[in-house]
Amino acid sequence: MGCVTKGATDSIVLVSGDEELLVTRAVAHAVETARAADPGADLREYEGGTLGAGEIAEMVSPSLFGGRRVLVIRNGQDAKKDLTAALLSYAKQPDPDVTLVITHPGGAKGKALADGLKSAGATVVQAMKLKGNRERVAFVRDEFRRLGGRCTDDAAEALLAAVGNDLRELAAACSQLVADTDGRIGADTVARYYRGRAEVSGFTVADAAMVGDVPGALEALRWALHVGVDPVPIADAIADGVRTVARVASAGRGSAYQLASSLGMPAWKIERAQRQGRGWSPEGLVDAMRAAAECNAEVKGGSDDRGYALERAIFAVAAARQGTGASDGARRGSGVR
């Protein structure tokens, strides 16, 4: 969740940093803590740049029906001066039945709000991007402990080498390893797993394809195949990427945390799908799902060239996103061989 500095009050939580996974977890933890005290706590989320100072009084005023309330203000750095003043005034004497969570990336913009909340005694959760290999190794080891497993330093190093530095990918890899093993992870476990499985590499290919980055998706695919990754999990990841964006898009608007329970997905995965879903049309997603299904059939049905089937799927998904049709994309893909 990040380093926590306890303040004079738990009623106000400042999430300071710009690492998406850590920010998401910190907000979720604050909400869960409030709901542990009152399962019926009312949750409302706002954007700092669009919230007016006059709305603060209504947000924090006693409810006619009682009960705890959780107010999440994201991107506090965008708060205007009058909103900043209203929040800092409230922070001097917060309502114990209200949990106010404010996220701030930690930069110079909106620094007066962050500093004022700290001075008022807010609990501060650090969610800054990790710097250097040592911090990333520590994150991996902490992640395994959080999941009930444990790993050695060389295992953490091996996982970083295999997966990269993206915390979301690392967290997913840790979760998969704990689920597939007895939870005791050594460098040999990581090496054995990544020789035979491709979930993370597959997700890298799928993520690039879903945002239309054809060169990036092809590069990731060719590297994965070069090091011996099985094409089947890559095809699965492409299909999962399309399905996830389609499910999240069909769920309508809402914060990732609000949609998490109804969709049965972690909030970070919903946030990623919301970002990837920009630029997609319903018709394009239908074409992409058809292309992913055809790719799965070819890859799992013993196609003579499974790598080529995956390349065609990448071009088809990108074409579907552009609205030119999956079949057109597949034809363009056939010209690169």
Side-chain angles (χ1 to χ4, degrees), residues 82-101:
D82 56 347
L83 174 59
T84 296
L87 288 170
L88 294 181
S89 175
Y90 169 76
K92 294 176 182 177
Q93 194 170 1
D95 185 334
D97 290 329
V98 175
T99 297
L100 175 62
V101 184

Side-chain angles (χ1 to χ4, degrees), residues 144-159:
F144 277 118
R145 278 194 291 269
R146 190 180 72 84
L147 294 166
R150 62 179 185 271
C151 80
T152 59
D153 278 346
D154 59 345
E157 294 275 10
L159 193 61

Side-chain angles (χ1 to χ4, degrees), residues 219-263:
E219 180 182 0
L221 171 63
R222 287 162 184 166
W223 174 250
L225 295 176
H226 173 73
V227 298
V229 160
D230 188 331
V232 170
I234 302 178
D236 286 340
I238 293 173
D240 179 71
V242 177
R243 284 195 303 267
T244 299
V245 169
R247 284 186 64 199
V248 172
S250 66
R253 297 192 175 188
S255 73
Y257 189 87
Q258 290 170 325
L259 295 175
S261 58
S262 61
L263 292 177

Side-chain angles (χ1 to χ4, degrees), residues 133-267:
N133 193 63
R134 182 179 297 180
E135 290 189 4
R136 296 187 186 99
V137 167
F139 170 82
V140 171
R141 297 200 64 175
D142 288 344
E143 190 68 11
F144 277 118
R145 278 194 291 269
R146 190 180 72 84
L147 294 166
R150 62 179 185 271
C151 80
T152 59
D153 278 346
D154 59 345
E157 294 275 10
L159 193 61
L160 285 164
V163 176
N165 296 330
D166 187 287
L167 295 197
R168 296 170 305 164
E169 299 286 1
L170 285 168
C174 292
S175 177
Q176 192 71 57
L177 281 167
V178 170
D180 289 354
T181 68
D182 62 2
R184 292 173 292 184
I185 311 300
D188 58 333
T189 312
V190 176
R192 186 168 63 251
Y193 185 87
Y194 281 95
R195 277 199 298 267
R197 303 194 60 159
E199 282 83 356
V200 175
S201 293
F203 289 139
T204 303
V205 174
D207 286 348
M210 289 304 296
V211 297
D213 181 9
V214 173
L218 291 175
E219 180 182 0
L221 171 63
R222 287 162 184 166
W223 174 250
L225 295 176
H226 173 73
V227 298
V229 160
D230 188 331
V232 170
I234 302 178
D236 286 340
I238 293 173
D240 179 71
V242 177
R243 284 195 303 267
T244 299
V245 169
R247 284 186 64 199
V248 172
S250 66
R253 297 192 175 188
S255 73
Y257 189 87
Q258 290 170 325
L259 295 175
S261 58
S262 61
L263 292 177
M265 296 183 196

Side-chain angles (χ1 to χ4, degrees), residues 11-76:
S11 297
I12 301 177
V13 178
L14 171 65
V15 181
S16 178
D18 55 354
E19 176 53 64
E20 290 183 11
L21 175 65
L22 299 182
V23 171
T24 298
R25 285 184 174 179
V27 173
H29 179 73
V31 174
E32 289 166 3
T33 299
R35 285 186 165 165
D38 180 359
D42 180 33
L43 171 64
R44 300 185 185 185
E45 299 200 29
Y46 305 86
E47 281 291 326
T50 59
L51 186 61
E55 296 175 84
I56 292 296
E58 180 182 349
M59 288 164 50
V60 299
S61 61
S63 169
L64 290 176
F65 304 100
R68 177 168 289 277
R69 281 157 292 151
V70 185
L71 310 175
V72 179
I73 300 177
R74 297 184 182 273
N75 297 309

